[in-house]
Amino acid sequence: MTLAKRIIPCLDVDNGRVVKGVHFADVKDAGDPVELAKKYTEQGADELVFLDITASQQGRDTMKNVVRKVASVIDIPFTVGGGIKKLEDARGILLSGADKVSINTAAVKSPELITQLMEIFGKQCVVVAIDAKRRYCKGAGCKGRNTFTDKKGRHWFEVMIYGGKEGTGLDAISWAREVEERGAGEILLTSIDADGTENGYDVELTEAICRASTIPVIASGGCGSAKHMLDVFEKADVDAALAASIFHYEKSTVDKVKKYLKRNGVRIRA
């Protein structure tokens, strides 16, 4: 029997407030993280993701006081990311109430950290976030890449770090395989191209990452309706759908989305 799909609201936090942008830029205020966390839990969210989106860029730690406040009002699995650079950072976040830690920039800079976290805290605690951007290429520029073709031509997906601000040259499909080998328990995959557009998830990217790995994959970036979640569940073997705008701006609620998915044959948690 296939596992039930998860619906996960995401809190992108900057300076203690939830924000939402487009393509990782032009962020706008979306509310108080504690109030939103409580509301989504009451609506039936399966898990909650909290990302301190400027911690890595600013070279600072995640705001543990905000993490503690959020943890105090929820009773569902809670993943926290942003600014986690070493084991002590992860330990502090887990002690502040998180169930899992998410690393992105640090995983690219120090891949051995993935294994260290897995060995100390367990695989189930380690989420590697992959922020990927479509890059078009020709000839030698495509060599060694996992490439795809659309109307604009051949392309690959580059892993981006520091909140999507810096390219790495890493191929996202290859990186997904590596993080699994190093001990990641889950991948949080965000399409920077789709982020905040509300035009739907990047199914091509998501499907490719799901094929490349055997660990659970969370689809993120682009959700604007329950139909978009249905599409990504039907077209890619993704384990969970993460969304922000649709919930923050009350275009729908977690319970309404779940009812819609259930009506359309998706096995979801009660």
Side-chain angles (χ1 to χ4, degrees):
M1 183 182 289
T2 57
L3 292 174
K5 304 299 186 183
R6 292 169 287 153
I7 304 302
I8 306 175
C10 182
L11 306 177
D12 290 327
V13 178
D14 184 11
N15 293 316
R17 295 286 294 178
V18 175
V19 296
K20 192 69 196 89
V22 179
H23 307 311
F24 283 31
D26 300 323
V27 296
K28 296 177 182 177
D29 188 90
D32 176 74
V34 179
E35 290 176 7
L36 291 175
K38 189 170 185 293
K39 179 171 75 171
Y40 298 149
T41 302
E42 290 169 351
Q43 288 176 1
D46 297 306
E47 297 188 17
L48 190 70
V49 167
F50 175 114
L51 301 175
D52 189 331
I53 62 170
T54 53
S56 288
Q57 289 170 251
Q58 296 172 0
R60 61 171 173 78
D61 295 338
T62 306
M63 295 179 177
K64 296 188 187 71
N65 60 323
V66 184
V67 172
R68 278 191 289 269
K69 288 177 183 175
V70 170
S72 71
V73 299
I74 65 174
D75 58 0
I76 55 177
F78 182 32
T79 300
V80 176
I84 297 170
K85 302 179 287 296
K86 53 189 184 297
L87 291 174
E88 290 74 17
D89 298 333
R91 183 177 285 109
I93 290 300
L94 293 169
L95 289 172
S96 295
D99 300 286
K100 310 176 193 178
V101 292
S102 173
I103 56 172
N104 182 345
T105 301
V108 172
K109 296 285 188 180
S110 306
E112 65 278 3
L113 179 62
I114 302 170
T115 307
Q116 291 169 358
L117 289 169
M118 180 269 292
E119 290 175 344
I120 292 177
F121 302 114
K123 190 172 184 175
Q124 78 287 347
C125 283
V126 186
V127 179
V128 172
I130 300 177
D131 297 336
K133 190 171 180 61
R134 189 179 265 95
R135 300 295 194 192
Y136 287 90
C137 61
K138 290 181 180 178
C142 300
K143 191 175 181 182
R145 313 289 191 189
N146 289 279
T147 59
F148 307 82
T149 304
D150 62 15
K151 293 176 183 177
K152 295 182 181 179
R154 285 182 73 187
H155 56 272
W156 60 288
F157 293 97
E158 182 180 14
V159 175
M160 306 293 287
I161 55 175
Y162 292 118
K165 301 292 190 297
E166 184 178 306
T168 64
L170 282 175
D171 179 279
I173 315 304
S174 300
W175 179 234
R177 293 192 186 102
E178 182 176 344
V179 301
E180 178 177 359
E181 289 169 3
R182 288 182 177 273
E186 196 163 28
I187 291 171
L188 170 52
L189 174 68
T190 302
S191 163
I192 295 177
D193 302 296
D195 176 69
T197 63
E198 299 182 40
N199 293 326
Y201 297 93
D202 190 324
V203 173
E204 179 183 60
L205 168 64
T206 307
E207 185 183 22
I209 295 290
C210 288
R211 283 201 310 267
S213 61
T214 62
I215 57 177
V217 175
I218 303 168
S220 169
C223 182
S225 69
K227 176 66 165 59
H228 292 152
M229 291 189 181
L230 178 63
D231 288 343
V232 81
F233 283 137
E234 288 185 337
K235 296 174 183 176
D237 189 24
V238 71
D239 296 83
L242 179 145
S245 301
I246 182 177
F247 299 134
H248 297 344
Y249 303 123
E250 300 185 336
K251 295 179 180 181
S252 189
T253 60
V254 177
D255 46 340
K256 285 180 181 176
V257 164
K258 285 188 157 189
K259 286 174 184 174
Y260 171 84
L261 293 170
K262 193 172 183 179
R263 285 199 307 272
N264 283 276
V266 177
R267 186 164 179 261
I268 51 100
R269 298 183 183 184

